[in-house]
Amino acid sequence: AKPSSASLNKFKNSPMTSPGQRMKVFKGFSCFNSDAIQTIPPPSSNPSSSLNEKNGVKRSPKSTSVDSELRENEPPLHVHFSRSADTENSSSDCGSIPAAVVMASTIFQSKPKPREDLAPIIHRQNSGGTTVSASHDWGYPEHLSQEQYEIYVKFHHEACQRSLDFQQTIYSFGTVETEEFALCRWLRARKFDLEKTIQMVEEAMEFRKEAAKHHFFPDGSRALGVEKSIFYALYPEVFGGYTKNGFPLFIIKACDADFSKVPCITTMTGVINFHWHSMAHVLGGQLRDRALADPSFKRFEACTVVDVEGVSVSTALDSLSILKEWIAIDQLCFPECLHSFIFINAPATFSAVWRVCRTFIDPHTASKVEIISKKAVWQARLIELFGAESLPSDYGGMASSFIEKYEARTTDGDLRSQVIHPVFLRTAWSWATYDFNLNSEDEVLELVVLTNTQRTGTFTVLERRDSGDEVIQVVEVKHSGQGDDQQPTRVNFPQTLNGPGSFQVRVNCSEGQGSWVLVGKVCDKSRHAHRRDASTMIMRSERRYSNFHAISQSVHLAGEEVRNVEPRSLSTLRATLRSMAMSQQSERLKTPLFQILAFIVALVIHDILFYFMIQKTQYSLKDVK
């Protein structure tokens, strides 16, 4: 793109001593689009990431030259983030905009580095001197062959000629990642085929366009339409820290995952938006923080450990639709970001299937996957690769246990605790009970139900006492939307429960099968009023992001509307439910099919009674004779 006339006149009239210096300035314009200057306001909630006009939010073409004299006073292209990668608070997520969004108008240098000057790697950021095959280093800047380097130079030149969106797509995690490593990630994904690599970047640029408009959803809860702590309860993944070589480590306990209940709390669009948030802000923030803290950290990759012990076939099938969407995003927009993927506690059938599938997978990708069944073997292997400091104590390390990390991730910051129960009833006569205990007077329990089931579920809250159970409230929950794209229904119970005390929630659905997610939020009594006011304001202001539906507080029992349900004994409640069931049975008997069946049954009973009556009459006659 050509520079503006005002910029040209400015440099033509500048006191340059030689045409060579002037050519250096014009050379920088070759990769600059003068119409693509964007002024991006800094996020107000994160002062450390704010940029003023002096620091280059709106950049002039002068900053595009690669000459060291012109770059002498230029600020760095990356944006520093103060967010800690060890915690995920919603406030920090909202305030951190990734460097992929806030960047200079020109990202790449006009000339690629010579092959001998490419950034060195500290033994592939390896862990503790472990032996690594040469395939792990294939395609990295320090290990490029002459042919690969020539393709790298051509790709660099092509990127300089393209638009800012094209360049931002290459920098998946921002300009903290060095230029040569970002370019080589995309080249490795297409085996250093330049034409296919350029086509891949173009497809990724178009694919990520909608998410880029929303800055890749910096608030994870807003992306989902529900608190992300509730989503993590159904997808048990924790951040284990950093490995010996600096890679972020994630641990997933697959047996506790429940993807079948995800539609009860959010839509597929919300799940996809949340994955953009996880990649650009959560993983991206951890990689950027590591690179800023350790200049030797160059490879923007992550490690994942999946515990597959006890995983059922149904759990695996339920996860396919969601994992398919996530993998499509990762493969196209965040290529070559996997350092290692280890399955532990794998059954023998799992290993046999992998041995067959491995023959159809690229050897470079297959070398990153390991499957280990024996506990003693995988514990030693994980400590060898990642170090005991990053591993949870229940996986052989010295860090906090998986349960502790899981509870911290599934509890919002202003709560004492949060308990989440997925509910599934198979038949109309099924019951499910869940207990909640409050230990002190300053604890308050808030109950919330989320569902996409269009059958009415009855939630009865009981207080457990020595004298007998008493009904506190009865709430009916039914999804009011139509279609899969609508946000699931969310119902906040009108009455909160004060401690100390023991409570039980009983769930039944007389209409048949259904699924719900029951959430119990335990908070301080002093903060309870503030939470209610704040949650009301948030729900009103975010209707464009999530459509929370609330049902009326009125409860229908046996066809009669009761506005205020008075506390009653458990026997009275059972009698009421029994009468409701009998009324429903009488309604069913009014249908023609039930009438025919009732007639047949009555006829059979009549014949049986008539037969016994005849027999008794015959015996009576014999006695008379």
Side-chain angles (χ1 to χ4, degrees):
K2 295 181 179 180
S4 61
S5 58
S7 301
L8 286 172
N9 293 332
K10 177 180 177 181
F11 286 100
K12 285 181 180 179
N13 298 330
S14 61
M16 293 189 177
T17 57
S18 65
Q21 290 181 342
R22 188 171 299 164
M23 283 302 297
K24 291 177 183 178
V25 177
F26 292 137
K27 194 173 184 179
F29 284 120
S30 63
C31 59
F32 175 72
N33 184 355
S34 61
D35 297 328
I37 300 180
Q38 300 178 357
T39 302
I40 303 175
S44 58
S45 60
N46 192 355
S48 64
S49 63
S50 62
L51 297 176
N52 53 26
E53 187 175 355
K54 181 178 178 181
N55 286 338
V57 175
K58 187 173 182 178
R59 301 231 175 180
S60 65
K62 183 177 179 180
S63 64
T64 63
S65 173
V66 295
D67 187 30
S68 59
E69 298 176 1
L70 297 179
R71 281 186 173 269
E72 193 173 23
N73 298 321
E74 184 183 1
L77 296 180
H78 63 76
V79 179
H80 177 69
F81 298 93
S82 60
R83 185 187 65 78
S84 173
D86 295 332
T87 58
E88 286 185 65
N89 298 325
S90 58
S91 59
S92 62
D93 290 340
C94 296
S96 60
I97 304 297
V101 179
V102 184
M103 332 188 139
S105 298
T106 299
I107 303 176
F108 291 97
Q109 299 180 6
S110 60
K111 281 186 177 181
K113 293 182 180 180
R115 183 184 176 191
E116 59 273 9
D117 293 341
L118 290 177
I121 318 171
I122 302 178
H123 192 52
R124 97 175 233 287
Q125 299 168 347
N126 201 5
S127 57
T130 55
T131 304
V132 181
S133 62
S135 62
H136 282 281
D137 293 327
W138 178 86
Y140 285 90
E142 193 183 45
H143 302 274
L144 295 181
S145 63
Q146 183 61 36
E147 181 182 0
Q148 291 174 341
Y149 177 74
E150 293 175 358
I151 297 174
Y152 163 79
V153 172
K154 293 179 181 179
F155 185 38
H156 182 281
H157 178 73
E158 181 69 23
C160 290
Q161 307 301 320
R162 293 300 188 103
S163 65
L164 183 63
D165 290 339
F166 188 92
Q167 298 174 14
Q168 289 177 345
T169 303
I170 294 177
Y171 278 104
S172 307
F173 301 106
T175 53
V176 176
E177 184 182 16
T178 57
E179 177 180 286
E180 56 271 17
F181 279 87
L183 292 171
C184 285
R185 276 198 303 107
W186 292 83
L187 289 171
R188 289 198 307 273
R190 289 298 178 264
K191 307 303 177 188
F192 279 80
D193 188 318
L194 181 60
E195 183 178 351
K196 292 182 179 180
T197 303
I198 295 174
Q199 180 182 356
M200 180 184 180
V201 178
E202 291 175 345
E203 293 175 356
M205 180 177 62
E206 185 66 26
F207 189 79
R208 72 199 286 270
K209 183 178 296 183
E210 187 63 28
K213 293 179 181 178
H214 301 278
H215 304 299
F216 301 99
F217 306 96
D219 188 344
S221 297
R222 176 175 290 184
L224 281 167
V226 69
E227 299 92 323
K228 61 182 180 181
S229 59
I230 299 178
F231 177 79
Y232 282 132
L234 303 179
Y235 178 62
E237 177 194 64
V238 301
F239 173 61
Y242 294 99
T243 64
K244 288 182 178 180
N245 40 24
F247 299 118
L249 171 63
F250 296 91
I251 301 176
I252 303 172
K253 206 162 188 177
C255 62
D256 294 333
D258 195 349
F259 286 97
S260 63
K261 304 301 185 300
V262 170
C264 291
I265 64 172
T266 186
T267 61
M268 181 60 73
T269 301
V271 172
I272 295 174
N273 294 343
F274 183 73
H275 191 64
W276 284 111
H277 160 80
S278 299
M279 295 299 295
H281 293 271
V282 179
L283 176 60
Q286 292 160 352
L287 293 170
R288 288 188 292 269
D289 290 346
R290 189 65 180 180
L292 293 173
D294 182 9
S296 64
F297 182 81
K298 301 294 182 182
R299 300 190 180 187
F300 275 38
E301 301 171 359
C303 301
T304 302
V305 176
V306 181
D307 187 352
V308 295
E309 183 180 13
V311 176
S312 61
V313 177
S314 60
T315 302
L317 294 177
D318 292 336
S319 65
L320 289 180
S321 59
I322 294 178
L323 294 180
K324 181 180 178 181
E325 299 290 342
W326 288 355
I327 292 173
I329 295 175
D330 296 346
Q331 287 184 340
L332 184 59
C333 300
F334 302 92
E336 293 295 318
C337 294
L338 176 64
H339 178 74
S340 60
F341 203 97
I342 301 178
F343 293 94
I344 62 175
N345 293 322
T349 55
F350 194 93
S351 302
V353 172
W354 167 247
R355 283 194 293 269
V356 175
C357 297
R358 183 169 185 161
T359 59
F360 304 99
I361 300 177
D362 176 69
H364 177 66
T365 303
S367 64
K368 301 179 180 181
V369 180
E370 296 185 46
I371 299 178
I372 309 175
S373 300
K374 296 182 179 180
K375 182 177 181 179
V377 178
W378 60 253
Q379 277 189 350
R381 179 59 174 165
L382 294 183
I383 294 176
E384 177 188 7
L385 293 177
F386 308 134
E389 296 79 9
S390 299
L391 286 177
S393 57
D394 45 356
Y395 284 88
M398 298 184 297
S400 303
S401 66
F402 182 91
I403 297 299
E404 294 174 348
K405 293 178 178 289
Y406 174 74
E407 290 179 350
R409 205 173 199 189
T410 56
T411 302
D412 294 331
D414 58 342
L415 298 177
R416 286 193 175 185
S417 63
Q418 182 170 255
V419 182
I420 301 169
H421 295 292
V423 183
F424 176 69
L425 300 178
R426 295 184 180 276
T427 64
W429 309 110
S430 300
W431 284 82
T433 59
Y434 303 96
D435 295 324
F436 297 90
N437 296 316
L438 300 178
N439 299 321
S440 62
E441 295 181 355
D442 59 344
E443 288 184 343
V444 176
L445 175 63
E446 300 176 3
L447 294 175
V448 180
V449 175
L450 300 102
T451 185
N452 67 335
T453 300
Q454 295 184 346
R455 295 186 176 94
T456 303
T458 303
F459 290 76
T460 305
V461 183
L462 307 171
E463 184 174 4
R464 313 300 298 273
R465 297 180 178 178
D466 296 336
S467 58
D469 298 341
E470 289 192 4
V471 178
I472 303 299
Q473 58 182 332
V474 180
V475 178
E476 292 185 340
V477 181
K478 181 179 181 180
H479 181 46
S480 57
Q482 298 290 337
D484 297 334
D485 295 335
Q486 289 196 2
Q487 191 71 19
T489 297
R490 179 190 182 107
V491 176
N492 297 312
F493 282 36
Q495 184 176 347
T496 57
L497 307 178
N498 298 320
S502 179
F503 304 91
Q504 186 178 83
V505 179
R506 299 188 178 184
V507 188
N508 77 299
C509 179
S510 59
E511 299 178 6
Q513 181 174 300
S515 298
W516 302 265
V517 174
L518 175 63
V519 183
K521 299 174 179 286
V522 180
C523 60
D524 293 332
K525 187 176 295 185
S526 58
R527 297 185 180 182
H528 170 63
H530 175 70
R531 276 181 50 83
R532 298 289 283 184
D533 296 339
S535 62
T536 302
M537 293 176 61
I538 292 173
M539 289 173 61
R540 289 177 179 175
S541 63
E542 294 187 353
R543 286 179 181 176
R544 54 181 296 191
Y545 297 101
S546 59
N547 184 18
F548 292 129
H549 300 280
I551 65 170
S552 174
Q553 295 182 6
S554 60
V555 181
H556 298 274
L557 293 176
E560 179 183 2
E561 187 179 52
V562 181
R563 295 278 178 188
N564 299 312
V565 179
E566 298 293 337
R568 61 189 69 184
S569 62
L570 182 60
S571 59
T572 306
L573 176 65
R574 289 175 177 172
T576 304
L577 294 176
R578 192 180 298 110
S579 64
M580 292 173 61
M582 293 178 63
S583 62
Q584 291 177 356
Q585 289 182 357
S586 62
E587 291 294 331
R588 293 174 181 173
L589 289 176
K590 294 180 181 180
T591 60
L593 178 61
F594 279 101
Q595 290 179 355
I596 294 174
L597 292 176
F599 175 76
I600 295 175
V601 172
L603 185 61
V604 172
I605 295 175
H606 175 270
D607 291 342
I608 294 174
L609 293 176
F610 183 76
Y611 171 78
F612 283 108
M613 187 182 301
I614 294 298
Q615 293 293 330
K616 186 175 181 181
T617 303
Q618 291 178 355
Y619 289 125
S620 299
L621 291 175
K622 290 180 179 179
D623 294 340
V624 172
K625 292 181 180 179

